[in-house]
Amino acid sequence: MSARRRPVKRLLLAALGAAIVAAIGTGAWVYLSPRGFAGNAIERYGSAATRTSVRLERIEISPGDGTGSITGFTVGNPGGFNSPAAFSADSIKLALDPATLGKEVLVVRALSVTSPRLSYESGNAGSNFEVLLGNIRHQAEASAGAGSQGPKLIVERLVVHNAALSYASALTAGKTVTIPLPDIRLSGIGRAEGGVTPGRFAQAVVEVMLDRIRRAMSLEPMRGGAK
């Protein structure tokens, strides 16, 4: 991972992906707890870090091999934006290394998000994704000042595949269009540092996601607009 994409140090639990992927990290850490507790933890920590509503329908993990899924995951938009959610995914697959359970650093072998839906909006304080990212950073600074420490992760492989971005702009005459986003593929996150907090992981992913959004939107007029 390039220096430009390396996560900023000492970030607290967040959601992401947006924002969302930090919440996934949190859920992975507490997966041995009852499902209700794990789901509540993801929603509680994700919502606090992003200052939005983070919700999921179900979380399932197999204690035997560490594989599992999160279904019905959504990250709400910050205040001042119109659409109800910035990010939603029907299903997120994950695989943990069972040998690292209960250790200081939890290894996530694979994290796969397929066909998520992203809604991008501009506002007076910037886009909704920029505001979400700013919220994560603000919470991290407050946590660092308080000396808070959290669990650490190494994520061996992350894939966000077949994402769809909806947005409206002056170039689309205010009409909402939907375009595909290039896949995100990251590997070895946290390996060099010996593990990163879920919040640091989240910021890295959201930064890359925001970069993909900006590039896709800038290229769209050259393709003649989305259908």
Side-chain angles (χ1 to χ4, degrees):
M1 188 166 55
S2 69
R4 175 176 167 271
R5 291 179 176 174
R6 291 173 68 89
V8 176
K9 292 182 178 181
R10 300 183 65 82
L11 286 178
L12 183 64
L13 296 172
L16 266 291
I20 175 175
V21 187
I24 297 169
T26 307
W29 187 261
V30 299
Y31 91 101
L32 280 179
S33 301
R35 291 176 187 172
F37 176 79
N40 290 339
I42 292 175
E43 294 179 342
R44 181 173 69 254
Y45 288 115
S47 297
T50 62
R51 298 182 182 179
T52 67
S53 173
V54 173
R55 296 289 180 264
L56 61 86
E57 293 179 0
R58 188 177 182 85
I59 178 171
E60 294 183 296
I61 302 290
S62 169
D65 59 10
T67 61
S69 65
I70 297 172
T71 57
F73 188 91
T74 62
V75 178
N77 257 325
F81 296 95
N82 295 323
S83 60
F87 182 101
S88 61
D90 293 335
S91 179
I92 300 167
K93 304 294 184 183
L94 65 157
L96 315 178
D97 181 353
T100 63
L101 297 173
K103 305 294 185 180
E104 183 178 351
V105 179
L106 175 67
V107 175
V108 181
R109 289 174 172 167
L111 190 59
S112 177
V113 186
T114 301
S115 301
R117 299 171 297 280
L118 290 73
S119 177
Y120 181 92
E121 294 183 46
S122 295
N124 294 333
S127 74
N128 54 339
F129 277 89
E130 290 169 329
V131 173
L132 285 170
L133 193 56
N135 290 346
I136 295 172
R137 288 171 173 161
H138 178 82
Q139 185 72 8
E141 291 173 1
S143 175
S148 176
Q149 298 291 327
K152 290 187 176 182
L153 308 169
I154 293 174
V155 180
E156 295 181 343
R157 186 174 71 257
L158 164 73
V159 177
V160 181
H161 175 64
N162 196 33
L165 170 68
S166 296
Y167 74 98
S169 69
L171 293 174
T172 66
K175 180 181 178 181
T176 299
V177 299
T178 300
I179 59 175
L181 283 183
D183 289 353
I184 295 173
R185 298 178 184 274
L186 300 175
S187 61
I189 304 172
R191 184 183 298 154
E193 302 92 327
V196 294
T197 65
R200 292 179 63 188
F201 171 56
Q203 181 173 357
V205 175
V206 174
E207 286 177 343
V208 174
M209 188 171 292
L210 186 55
D211 176 70
R212 294 286 196 277
I213 290 172
R214 288 168 172 163
R215 289 167 57 187
M217 291 174 61
S218 67
L219 291 173
E220 192 56 25
M222 303 178 190
R223 294 194 288 256
K227 302 297 184 182

